[in-house]
Amino acid sequence: MNTTDVKTNLEKVKASIRDAELAAGRPEGSVKLLAVSKFHPEQSVIDAIHAGQTLFGENRVQEACRKFENVCTQYPAAELHIIGTLQKNKVGRAVNICTCIESVDSLELISTIEKQCEKINKTIKILFEYHTGEESKSGFTAYESLLEAVQFCSDSKAPHVIPAGFMTMAPFTQDDNAIHESFCKLRETSERLRKDFPQLKLDTLSMGMSGDYRIAIAEGSTEVRIGTAIFGEREYQKA
């Protein structure tokens, strides 16, 4: 995909997000766009940066490092979020290149992130991934375990880890009611935890992808994750 296509696609996606904000009675600009660049070449990311996009998501650490070590050097404003399931043996590389890990799904992973961040004296934001859809394969599956993880951070047991909010994936279904319920569950959970932990800035709700982001925005999403509509079909690569 060429530079013009990426720019045109970005403009269309951002206009659609603005329309969804308006339809939901929300202020323009209340929802951030995370451009999912996995399986797309470095040049496509650079094209998106030139078109005004700075926030990107990748789910494979090896690919992300190969792509963004150069991009982040050339374009310091670019931010990379890790959005896929993160194995503990990949955490060290991940924290070197990203500014946020959106897929934190266990207390053990938080401890590993803390250890790796301490080594390089870096703080990093995290989102707690909460399982809200039956077909989702990741995330905290019980409120009690999620609460324990938030409490762990609140007690300053991971000083290099900055809790920033929550993430979920809705079930893959044509049933809009089920999707609404999934996103509503995360919003209500976040409201409950923000009330219980006012000292933490848990204001990010990362929910909604290409097929359901308008529903997510209606349910309070502050960040939507969109890839194909911006970059085209994925160009699959070996890790």
Side-chain angles (χ1 to χ4, degrees):
M1 180 171 289
N2 61 42
T3 303
T4 302
D5 290 336
V6 170
K7 181 179 180 181
T8 299
N9 291 344
L10 266 171
E11 290 171 350
K12 290 179 180 178
V13 169
K14 290 180 178 180
S16 181
I17 290 171
R18 288 195 298 270
D19 289 344
E21 290 171 334
L22 180 62
R26 298 179 57 187
E28 182 177 330
S30 57
V31 180
K32 294 182 180 180
L33 170 62
L34 186 145
V36 179
S37 51
K38 62 182 181 181
F39 301 125
H40 293 286
E42 179 182 321
Q43 186 58 50
S44 292
V45 174
I46 293 172
D47 290 344
I49 292 172
H50 288 166
Q53 180 66 23
T54 57
L55 185 59
F56 297 89
E58 294 272 341
N59 72 337
R60 303 199 305 178
V61 173
Q62 188 170 337
E63 178 189 349
C65 289
R66 184 171 62 239
K67 190 183 306 179
F68 278 87
E69 283 174 351
N70 180 48
V71 168
C72 290
T73 299
Q74 290 187 64
Y75 304 94
E79 290 187 52
L80 172 64
H81 289 198
I82 297 298
I83 60 175
T85 300
L86 181 59
Q87 298 174 345
K88 293 190 295 297
N89 64 350
K90 302 287 182 66
V91 170
R93 295 194 71 189
V95 299
N96 269 292
I97 195 67
C98 73
T99 60
C100 178
I101 297 173
E102 296 201 4
S103 47
V104 171
D105 59 2
S106 71
L107 189 55
E108 186 178 12
L109 180 57
I110 294 172
S111 296
T112 303
I113 293 170
E114 169 61 27
K115 290 177 182 177
Q116 295 297 330
C117 285
E118 184 179 22
K119 289 180 181 179
I120 59 175
N121 192 29
K122 178 180 180 179
T123 57
I124 197 164
K125 292 181 180 179
I126 66 165
L127 302 184
F128 301 97
E129 183 176 2
Y130 192 37
H131 179 103
T132 63
E134 289 303 316
E135 295 183 26
S136 175
K137 297 180 181 179
S138 57
F140 288 94
T141 57
Y143 177 79
E144 292 74 19
S145 59
L146 173 62
L147 175 62
E148 181 183 13
V150 178
Q151 184 70 62
F152 182 84
C153 293
S154 178
D155 291 341
S156 299
K157 293 181 179 179
H160 294 83
V161 175
I162 311 300
F166 306 90
M167 186 268 267
T168 198
M169 294 179 64
F172 296 99
T173 177
Q174 299 298 315
D175 184 353
D176 285 357
N177 288 331
I179 297 172
H180 273 284
E181 288 175 6
S182 174
F183 293 147
C184 180
K185 181 177 180 180
L186 184 68
R187 173 173 48 78
E188 291 177 345
T189 299
S190 72
E191 290 170 352
R192 179 178 177 183
L193 288 168
R194 284 203 304 269
K195 182 178 179 181
D196 290 343
F197 296 92
Q199 71 277 22
L200 299 179
K201 190 177 181 182
L202 301 169
D203 58 355
T204 296
L205 281 183
S206 178
M207 56 187 195
M209 299 188 294
S210 294
D212 55 25
Y213 69 90
R214 295 184 70 90
I215 296 175
I217 290 172
E219 290 292 349
S221 175
T222 66
E223 177 190 286
V224 294
R225 309 181 299 272
I226 299 176
T228 303
I230 298 170
F231 298 110
E233 294 300 322
R234 296 169 182 169
E235 300 179 15
Y236 293 95
Q237 307 166 11
K238 293 183 179 181

